[in-house]
Amino acid sequence: MAFILQKELGFQGAITGVEIDEKIISLSQKYFGLDRLRNLKIEIADAYDFVFSEKQKYDIVVIDLFIDHIIPEQFDQKDFLLQLERLLSKGGLLLYNRMNLSYNDKSRIQNFRKTFAEVLRDVEISEEFNIDSKNIIFYVKK
């Protein structure tokens, strides 16, 4: 995501990436030049734990968490979404990527859509949009 933000979208601000697997970081450096990106700090941590313990506010929070194409259920829960909102600075943007590949994905997305709207009711929720037929991005501006 950091590569896309900087190289494709021209984002020049500071980026904090969270990845639990050091091998993924190493592969990202080798094949995507992650180590050559400016203003990038990588935290080796579990994303769930990081979100609950982090004190800093962010202008943009991007959730792109998958094991294969599945998002672990704890990342769909109300308490996690509330913590994401807490991390957003005033005017901050939350982007939450979801895969839409199977009937189960579609069902989980429908449930997530309800939870997302319920939990994040104090922020402006824009319509989600399809990047392609396989990904849906939910986004919120605080």
Side-chain angles (χ1 to χ4, degrees), residues 71-117:
I71 295 175
E73 288 193 23
Q74 75 244 36
F75 298 106
D76 284 350
Q77 303 302 315
K78 291 178 182 181
D79 59 341
F80 183 73
L81 294 174
L82 285 168
Q83 293 303 311
L84 292 177
E85 180 185 9
R86 179 186 62 78
L87 293 179
L88 288 176
S89 60
K90 182 152 179 67
L93 184 65
L94 167 62
L95 302 169
Y96 200 119
N97 186 23
R98 305 291 304 216
M99 297 292 277
N100 188 25
L101 300 175
S102 69
Y103 177 79
N104 286 339
D105 291 338
K106 289 177 187 9
S107 176
R108 281 191 71 193
I109 286 170
Q110 295 219 353
N111 290 333
F112 180 77
R113 182 180 287 122
K114 289 176 192 172
T115 303
F116 196 78

Side-chain angles (χ1 to χ4, degrees), residues 21 36 49 66 70 75 81 88 112 129 136-137 141:
D21 189 340
R36 293 188 302 270
D49 295 338
F66 299 99
I70 305 295
F75 298 106
L81 294 174
L88 288 176
F112 180 77
F129 61 94
I136 295 176
I137 303 288
K141 186 170 185 175

Side-chain angles (χ1 to χ4, degrees), residues 12 25 27 41 55 62 64 67 83 88 133 138:
Q12 296 302 313
I25 295 168
L27 289 170
K41 177 175 89 172
K55 304 295 184 227
V62 180
D64 192 48
I67 298 174
Q83 293 303 311
L88 288 176
S133 61
F138 289 83

